Amino acid sequence: MDAPAACEIERLPEDLLVHVISLTSPAGAIHATAVSRAFHAAADSDTVWSRLLARDLPQFAKRELPRKPPSTKKGMFRRLSDEPALLPGKYVRMQLDKATGAKCYTFSASALQITRLMMHTRP
């Protein structure tokens, strides 16, 4: 009996897989790693994660992350989605949403200023 033919997906060029995976979401890219070895390699590439992450995140990571920033874009995503980063002033945290990669901010109550508005009524 002949050996099974190689999976057709394994024969697709990596740059095509990178392009397709980069059109998904961060969650989609993480799930793509389970499809095959070729998908795993493509989904882990910095090219994919450069397209999935906000453009300002690499600069943000250099300035704001207390520990050494991760060496890969996927590592940066995982770091910022698992642990919020405390922004300057210590009153605001930023974390990435695991499914979409959106930035989520949490403000400390002491960082907020609430002013009282006076409503005037006409006689």
Side-chain angles (χ1 to χ4, degrees):
M1 188 163 183
D2 293 333
C7 177
E8 292 296 315
I9 236 168
E10 295 286 336
R11 296 175 53 193
L12 294 172
E14 185 173 352
D15 59 335
L16 176 63
L17 294 177
V18 164
H19 178 72
V20 170
I21 294 168
S22 69
L23 296 174
T24 66
S25 64
I30 289 171
H31 287 101
T33 62
V35 172
S36 70
R37 276 179 255 155
F39 266 72
H40 191 279
D44 276 350
S45 76
D46 268 356
T47 303
V48 165
W49 289 93
S50 292
R51 295 176 186 168
L52 293 175
L53 292 173
R55 287 197 167 96
D56 62 342
L57 282 181
Q59 287 300 330
F60 170 83
K62 287 179 186 173
R63 288 190 323 268
E64 306 303 336
L65 294 180
R67 298 186 303 255
K68 181 181 172 189
S71 60
T72 65
K73 305 276 192 224
K74 183 178 180 181
M76 185 183 309
F77 173 80
R78 287 192 171 211
R79 162 63 176 83
L80 290 171
S81 63
D82 289 342
E83 299 175 42
L86 197 57
L87 301 180
K90 311 291 186 219
Y91 297 114
V92 180
R93 297 181 326 166
M94 192 278 293
Q95 187 168 10
L96 296 178
D97 180 74
K98 286 185 181 192
T100 65
K103 295 180 205 174
C104 303
Y105 294 93
T106 304
F107 296 90
S108 166
S110 59
L112 301 176
Q113 289 184 343
I114 300 173
T115 58
R116 184 175 175 191
L117 297 176
M118 300 294 284
M119 298 293 291
H120 294 285
T121 57
R122 292 188 181 169

